[in-house]
Amino acid sequence: MMSVVRGETHATEYEAVIGFEVHVELATATKLFCSCPTTFGAPPNAHTCPICLGHPGMLPLLNERAVEYALRATLAFGCEIERCVRFDRKQYFYHDLPKAYQISQIHAPIGRNGSLTIDVGGRSKVIRIREIHLEEDAGKSIHLLGDGDNATLIDFNRSGIPLIEIVTEPDISSPEEARAFLEELRLTILYLGISDVRMEEGSLRADANISVRPKGSPVFGAKVEVKNLNSISGVERAVAYEIERQISLLRRGERVVSETRRWDEDLRRTFSMRQKFGGFDYRPIHEPEVVPYVLEESYIERIRAELPELPKERRRKFQETYGLSAYDAGVLTANRELSDLFEAGVREGAPPKPLANWLMSEFLGYVNERGLAVRDVPITPRQWAELLALIENGTISTNIAKAVFQRMAESGRDPREIVEAEGLVQIADPKALREIVDRVLAANPKSVEDYRKGKEKALGFLVGQVMRETRGKAHPELVNQLLREALGEPGGA
Amino acid sequence: MDGFSVLAWRSRLASGEATPEDVARHYLEAIAARDPEIHAFLLVREEAREEARNLRVEDRQTLPFFGIPVALKDNFLTRGVRTTAGSRILETYVPPVDATAWKHLALGGAVLLGKTNLDEFAMGVSTETSAFGPTRNPWDLTRTAGGSSGGSAAAVAAGFTPLALGSDTGGSVRQPAAYTGIVGFKPTYGLISRFGLIHMAASLDTVGVLANTVADAAYTFVHISGSDHKDPTSFGKLPPAFANQLAEIQRLAYPARVERLHALLSRGFSGVKVALVREFLGDGVSPDVRIAIEAAARRMEELGAHVEVVSIPELKLASAVYAVVMTAEAASYLGRFDGVRFGLRVPAGDVDTLSTWTRSQGFGWEVKRRILFGTYVTLSESFVDLYERALRARRFLAIRLEALFADYDLLLGPTTPTTAPALGAAGDLDPVVELTQDLLTIPANLAGLPAVSVPAGRGSDGMPVGLQIVGPRYSDLDVLAFAFSWEEARPLEARPPFGGKIMELSSREGGNE
């Protein structure tokens, strides 16, 4: 018997089994059961009231907007919908949990059996979502350790903030998939407009459940929960580290302990927090103070109809309808505002491919350099279409267009207006250009000679001189052509 | 007694025969003279006199509660006025808001006389678990006034106030009303907002009215009922006819409201089908009580009611179901008292110990017992067998009662199996009597039904016996109308004698008669 066990634990090939529990803070204006604001970064306990502090005699008042947001998520992830919205109490004592219970959906989560498709290495994979439920957040404890004078400070601003918890099946099997899953989840939620999903502010919190087992084994290995993951790349690193740690334990013939571990981003390793003793008994009872209610079919249909296009569909459309590459479609849709801007520009008549290029290079460069958001740049879709038309019909050169873009971004003025006011219209009249070409040739006999001796580089210099004379407005190809005509073939004469 | 009813005071106040200050003074003096031996109040507000004086004379004709003194069970939050729920853990708690039911009365011109004693967190049947000492029965100081609204009931019965509010989770308004010979009304669940009521078990709790007469209880009920955006459980979809009736009366100011209400209540017994519940008169019910109730039933029949004896065997489920649901919800609710944010804090080296010490010193024995029981029934080992099964049995019982109301308008029985027991006897009660007590009042809470206790006579010990009338959901006005008819019909000797003494006191000192 022993040898069999050893044979298994010393297997050469292992596979990882990973599931996620993701908490998403819903971007409602007020808390789940009271009218306290949910804005981030207020002074401690500024956003509290007798309800979210759990005073006696108070009753929770359900925020229906939070239910609507949760419903959007369940629809977007293709879940079966629990039509009766009801809550349970998850009971435990902790000093930052005011009522000593969290109002949650234990018995009837609003969504079940959904999925999210991810793309990794050119392959699609379906990650099943076990459930999505609504719950309220707890407060935050700050433990101060002094010289024998310890104190715990509690901030209840977060107490009662609405969350949805998204629980997956253990369908993820690599750090790359973990990353892809969280990125796609985050993006989808962002498109749904139900959360700002900022991991660093805690509005998206992911816990990974990780185990490894000999490849092909039907039995799950000991499960380790990794917490404190506050960036997507951190998740990828933590998952990779933990898989490696568990495999090396097994290779050494040791056991993986089922426990909760903390990811330390600075040290890039996980640390044991606490061991699990067979799960905590939350003694859930039905929440008697929040009246259950039924989601009407018409209401569900309305929310379904109002669902925005999700990133996956939009990526497909960008490729199929606008002929963009998968890469371009990915970059544009990674930012919902950017992809909205792209589509609006196309609707205004901008050619898709050039517009995509402009948005990804000049525009994103401008935005990132200045730390702006897409909406902070005052260029309208119509102005984008106009700018691209000016390039297309030869009114301005690409170089000039870059300058015009900068002016547009700063002032919000129309490109045509900028071009006219600053005299930036491209000189594409051969007669006018020929005069300048002649002047430049006369002024640079040395370069003319060099070119004729076969130094192609000299031509570039001459083009540059013409552009300088025209302050960049000369049509570059025409200048090239005129110069060659005037000079004859290199090496000739 | 009628001379000291809310409506009698109201008419004297409207005519200017009495001033709000006279009325407040009258009751404050009665409290000062006799409450030290009864201990109905945990807090008496001398400010009530000044507040009464500050009422605007021009409102006296119209405000429905102009100058009417009210006592509140001390589990109703009163902004700026200490609210203890009868517990050490809230001994110094001053709430930031007013309970909605009280707010309705205050806006109607009522004056808060004080906060009344109760079993700690309303957990008890004799007001003896109060951390601040028991309340005595005004009829006989060696006896309990009942509980948990014992203070409110004793205050009305002793003539300390014409009106008090209580809370009824399993009979806590009706049982003390029966023991003290007054009217105790528990409405349909959710009809009166529970915002600002320190809960015991949220799915069972109701706000109840304690008064000298059925008309007073009805007048008050109509005024304080209705949906409240702060209490989502008060959003029930009322049957349209009932909703219209309520809204119509609520729109009326005094005295039109009184007239309309009287018209509604004075329907008589004729044609009413009543089920006299056999299980309500079984083992554990004393002969005195049985005789009084059967006599009442006969009298009703003489006056045109149709009374039939009906058996509802499922009622035997009630006590067990109640014990599970009530303790599960109560234990859950009480978790918030941890010494962190409000109330008592027993300092300790770390937060966990702080909570443990605060809770062990702040809670009394009965509260701890229920927390333990409630925790046990919801443990994962017992959850399905106890908690979930209790919820199913509760629904079953509610459906069974609903079916019964297809054939009968009302159920009838005693409110309590015996007259008020001696103080200190709660622990020695015959278990059968104890179970019977639960069986009588609890079904109305489990099914959310309206129920009233009205005096029905006296036992051989001279103590009052209460008659309980239960109706289907939203039949609150029918239940009250039937009780009103009984009040008119009942033999005069059933009326409590104690109020009479106060009346003399008042005639002498108040000069209002």
Side-chain angles (χ1 to χ4, degrees):
Chain A
M1 285 301 281
M2 284 306 290
S3 63
V4 175
V5 172
R6 194 172 297 128
E8 271 183 15
T9 51
H10 284 261
T12 46
E13 276 202 278
Y14 290 91
E15 62 181 3
V17 178
I18 304 158
F20 274 99
E21 287 166 26
V22 183
H23 281 96
V24 177
E25 217 173 276
L26 298 178
T28 53
T30 57
K31 293 185 178 181
L32 188 51
F33 295 111
C34 65
S35 54
C36 286
T38 54
T39 33
F40 181 79
N45 297 309
H47 293 169
T48 57
C49 72
I51 296 178
C52 59
L53 288 177
H55 275 245
M58 299 298 125
L59 292 158
L61 308 168
L62 180 60
N63 181 344
E64 291 186 12
R65 179 54 64 90
V67 176
E68 183 194 319
Y69 282 7
L71 183 59
R72 271 195 223 171
T74 61
L75 289 166
F77 294 118
C79 293
E80 295 159 15
I81 295 157
E82 170 60 53
R83 279 168 171 70
C84 183
V85 176
R86 57 196 170 96
F87 292 87
D88 306 284
R89 291 180 180 176
K90 198 165 150 182
Q91 312 192 72
Y92 60 98
F93 278 94
Y94 203 68
H95 38 269
D96 64 15
L97 187 67
K99 300 187 292 288
Y101 56 79
Q102 204 177 356
I103 303 180
S104 181
Q105 296 185 308
I106 295 172
H107 294 113
I110 187 162
R112 272 192 246 253
N113 301 328
S115 68
L116 179 66
T117 307
I118 57 170
D119 291 306
V120 182
R123 251 177 359 97
S124 276
K125 181 169 179 181
V126 174
I127 309 300
R128 289 171 300 159
I129 288 170
R130 184 183 302 166
E131 71 170 64
I132 298 179
H133 64 253
L134 255 170
E135 65 185 24
E136 58 174 345
D137 207 348
K140 195 172 86 182
S141 305
I142 303 145
H143 299 281
L144 300 179
L145 299 174
D147 303 326
D149 192 23
N150 300 342
T152 298
L153 305 178
I154 313 175
D155 178 3
F156 290 105
N157 280 348
R158 277 226 311 241
S159 164
I161 294 231
L163 308 173
I164 50 172
E165 183 175 349
I166 302 169
V167 185
T168 74
E169 298 289 349
D171 289 348
I172 295 161
S173 37
S174 71
E176 296 73 33
E177 285 181 15
R179 182 194 184 103
F181 168 75
L182 276 180
E183 277 179 343
E184 190 65 11
L185 182 82
R186 189 178 172 279
L187 194 59
T188 304
I189 285 170
L190 207 54
Y191 269 59
L192 291 172
I194 61 173
S195 172
D196 57 19
V197 285
R198 295 202 180 110
M199 282 187 97
E200 67 284 4
E201 287 180 8
S203 61
L204 185 147
R205 309 199 289 268
D207 299 335
N209 289 305
I210 304 165
S211 67
V212 296
R213 62 184 174 190
K215 203 160 195 160
S217 162
V219 187
F220 289 108
K223 189 169 79 178
V224 172
E225 185 180 21
V226 181
K227 286 184 177 287
N228 201 34
L229 304 167
N230 49 24
S231 74
I232 286 183
S233 45
V235 170
E236 190 176 13
R237 281 192 288 270
V239 168
Y241 173 88
E242 189 54 30
I243 293 172
E244 215 34 61
R245 187 185 72 86
Q246 292 184 22
I247 290 178
S248 61
L249 277 176
L250 296 181
R251 288 230 166 94
R252 288 201 300 272
E254 292 173 37
R255 267 183 50 233
V256 175
V257 181
S258 201
E259 61 181 347
T260 299
R261 294 178 75 86
R262 176 177 65 83
W263 169 248
D264 189 311
E265 183 62 41
D266 295 329
L267 300 173
R268 304 237 161 143
R269 53 166 294 198
T270 60
F271 290 92
S272 179
M273 279 171 82
R274 56 177 182 263
Q275 297 203 356
K276 296 204 157 189
F277 297 103
F280 198 80
D281 195 343
Y282 288 116
R283 301 181 294 106
I285 66 166
H286 294 284
E287 170 54 67
E289 295 177 351
V290 181
V291 182
Y293 73 98
V294 173
L295 295 173
E296 302 285 343
E297 207 56 42
S298 58
Y299 173 76
I300 296 173
E301 283 319 307
R302 203 193 83 211
I303 302 298
R304 194 194 302 276
E306 286 170 3
L307 275 189
E309 189 175 33
L310 296 176
K312 194 177 139 202
E313 301 158 24
R314 188 164 280 192
R315 273 196 299 270
R316 191 191 306 132
K317 186 173 74 184
F318 278 21
Q319 292 176 59
E320 289 173 2
T321 312
Y322 306 129
L324 300 185
S325 69
Y327 175 80
D328 289 356
V331 172
L332 287 176
T333 54
N335 182 324
R336 184 183 167 179
E337 284 183 39
L338 185 66
S339 62
D340 285 345
L341 178 61
F342 170 78
E343 288 216 278
V346 171
R347 271 199 302 276
E348 291 288 346
K353 270 185 175 169
L355 177 61
N357 289 336
W358 270 86
L359 288 177
M360 290 190 299
S361 54
E362 287 305 305
F363 180 76
L364 274 188
Y366 181 88
V367 160
N368 292 340
E369 217 169 83
R370 289 166 177 74
L372 299 173
V374 169
R375 63 174 167 278
D376 295 337
V377 182
I379 305 178
T380 65
R382 192 187 50 76
Q383 289 172 330
W384 272 112
E386 209 173 279
L387 178 67
L388 287 161
L390 290 174
I391 302 168
E392 198 91 332
N393 65 23
T395 309
I396 53 174
S397 67
T398 307
N399 265 331
I400 292 285
K402 286 179 186 171
V404 171
F405 161 74
Q406 293 281 339
R407 304 254 210 307
M408 289 166 74
E410 281 150 21
S411 66
R413 284 159 66 203
D414 280 354
R416 189 173 296 282
E417 193 192 320
I418 294 168
V419 167
E420 279 168 11
E422 306 192 11
L424 297 173
V425 176
Q426 185 161 261
I427 305 171
D429 174 10
K431 239 161 102 186
L433 276 180
R434 200 164 282 136
E435 278 170 31
I436 299 165
V437 165
D438 291 345
R439 219 167 40 234
V440 165
L441 291 179
N444 296 283
K446 177 89 172 56
S447 299
V448 172
E449 198 178 323
D450 285 350
Y451 178 78
R452 293 206 165 119
K453 282 179 187 159
K455 285 192 182 168
E456 188 69 15
K457 237 171 69 183
L459 183 72
F461 173 77
L462 291 167
V463 171
Q465 290 305 302
V466 175
M467 294 311 273
R468 222 176 87 181
E469 285 280 309
T470 59
R471 288 185 299 130
K473 291 183 291 184
H475 191 294
E477 281 163 39
L478 192 55
V479 170
N480 236 299
Q481 191 196 324
L482 290 173
L483 275 170
R484 282 184 200 276
E485 272 173 30
L487 293 166
E489 284 308 298
Chain B
M1 203 65 217
D2 280 358
F4 289 87
S5 72
V6 169
L7 292 177
W9 277 123
R10 192 63 203 82
S11 93
R12 268 177 254 141
L13 285 159
S15 67
E17 196 184 322
T19 67
E21 198 189 352
D22 290 340
V23 183
R25 192 182 61 236
H26 163 85
Y27 286 111
L28 286 170
E29 282 171 2
I31 294 167
R34 297 219 44 200
D35 197 47
E37 43 181 346
I38 291 171
H39 193 40
F41 284 90
L42 293 179
L43 180 140
V44 179
R45 295 182 70 246
E46 291 299 331
E47 305 90 310
R49 266 175 84 154
E50 203 194 320
E51 287 167 13
R53 195 185 310 132
N54 290 341
L55 286 168
R56 304 186 318 166
V57 172
E58 57 266 40
D59 291 331
R60 72 180 193 193
Q61 307 272 356
T62 49
L63 273 188
F65 282 83
F66 179 82
I68 298 297
V70 176
L72 297 176
K73 187 177 183 178
D74 205 25
N75 57 354
F76 284 83
L77 299 187
T78 41
R79 187 157 62 105
V81 177
R82 193 182 65 138
T83 300
T84 68
S87 181
R88 286 270 170 238
I89 214 161
L90 286 178
E91 195 169 359
T92 58
Y93 183 64
V94 178
V97 295
D98 277 320
T100 298
W102 157 236
K103 206 166 190 169
H104 279 304
L105 290 174
L107 291 174
V111 176
L112 183 62
L113 276 181
K115 305 297 288 288
T116 59
N117 200 8
L118 69 158
D119 284 296
E120 185 176 3
F121 284 107
M123 295 180 177
V125 292
S126 62
T127 317
E128 286 173 284
T129 72
S130 165
F132 310 108
T135 295
R136 294 169 185 276
N137 193 314
W139 294 67
D140 176 349
L141 298 180
T142 67
R143 297 189 194 234
T144 167
S148 62
S149 310
S152 282
V156 173
F160 297 158
T161 178
L163 179 65
L165 295 187
S167 62
D168 190 317
T169 306
S172 283
V173 158
R174 289 161 286 158
Q175 182 252 37
Y179 284 169
T180 57
I182 60 166
V183 176
F185 174 62
K186 167 222 175 297
T188 298
Y189 179 79
L191 268 185
I192 300 177
S193 169
R194 290 173 306 113
F195 177 82
L197 174 69
I198 300 180
H199 305 174
M200 175 168 148
S203 75
L204 300 161
D205 292 338
T206 51
V207 169
V209 182
L210 295 128
N212 290 306
T213 68
V214 174
D216 280 2
Y219 184 74
T220 308
F221 158 69
V222 165
H223 186 67
I224 64 178
S225 62
S227 70
D228 173 15
H229 71 278
K230 291 176 180 167
D231 177 0
T233 61
S234 74
F235 285 179
K237 281 195 187 116
L238 308 187
F242 178 55
N244 291 340
Q245 215 163 41
L246 266 184
E248 183 216 322
I249 307 173
Q250 282 169 346
R251 267 197 303 275
L252 301 171
Y254 178 87
R257 182 183 287 185
V258 178
E259 285 160 26
R260 181 75 186 88
L261 203 63
H262 260 109
L264 260 175
L265 295 178
S266 313
R267 293 185 219 162
F269 293 115
S270 177
V272 182
K273 280 188 83 177
V274 180
L276 186 60
V277 181
R278 173 171 293 140
E279 285 74 13
F280 283 172
L281 289 164
D283 289 345
V285 176
S286 75
D288 279 358
V289 169
R290 190 174 307 150
I291 289 164
I293 300 305
E294 282 169 352
R298 272 197 304 279
R299 180 90 185 106
M300 291 168 191
E301 229 171 357
E302 284 165 21
L303 293 168
H306 178 76
V307 182
E308 269 177 48
V309 177
V310 171
S311 176
I312 316 170
E314 294 84 354
L315 286 176
K316 68 176 186 293
L317 294 169
S319 304
V321 170
Y322 177 76
V324 172
V325 174
M326 177 270 290
T327 56
E329 291 183 11
S332 168
Y333 191 76
L334 293 168
R336 71 192 62 215
F337 300 100
D338 57 6
V340 173
R341 296 167 312 285
F342 45 76
L344 180 73
R345 171 184 291 181
V346 180
D350 63 275
V351 280
D352 291 338
T353 316
L354 178 148
S355 290
T356 309
W357 287 1
T358 299
R359 291 171 68 79
S360 38
Q361 293 182 34
F363 288 140
W365 167 246
E366 179 63 24
V367 170
K368 287 176 185 164
R369 195 177 69 91
R370 296 199 195 193
I371 290 173
L372 284 175
F373 194 94
T375 304
Y376 173 74
V377 300
T378 50
L379 284 175
S380 48
E381 295 84 36
S382 31
F383 185 81
V384 175
D385 269 357
L386 292 173
Y387 180 69
E388 289 208 316
R389 187 183 283 189
L391 294 186
R392 279 204 305 279
R394 179 182 181 176
R395 277 194 294 276
F396 174 67
L397 185 63
I399 289 165
R400 180 69 185 82
L401 286 170
E402 201 178 318
L404 200 85
F405 285 122
D407 299 327
Y408 300 92
D409 298 313
L410 301 164
L411 304 182
L412 209 63
T415 311
T416 59
T418 63
T419 56
L423 273 166
D428 324 323
L429 265 189
D430 179 347
V432 180
V433 175
E434 212 171 341
L435 277 177
T436 313
Q437 172 61 72
D438 291 352
L439 183 137
L440 294 174
T441 50
I442 282 166
N445 298 87
L446 290 175
L449 310 176
V452 66
S453 177
V454 275
R458 305 263 289 276
S460 52
D461 53 3
M463 295 297 287
V465 170
L467 168 83
Q468 186 183 213
I469 302 153
V470 184
R473 286 170 73 82
Y474 307 118
S475 72
D476 300 63
L477 291 173
D478 304 328
V479 167
L480 287 164
F482 193 83
F484 183 79
S485 301
W486 164 247
E487 200 177 49
E488 302 272 282
R490 79 185 180 207
L492 209 58
E493 58 86 25
R495 303 189 176 204
F498 194 77
K501 287 185 201 163
I502 294 289
M503 205 185 313
E504 287 160 28
L505 179 91
S506 161
S507 318
R508 218 171 44 243
E509 297 178 2
N512 289 329
E513 286 297 305

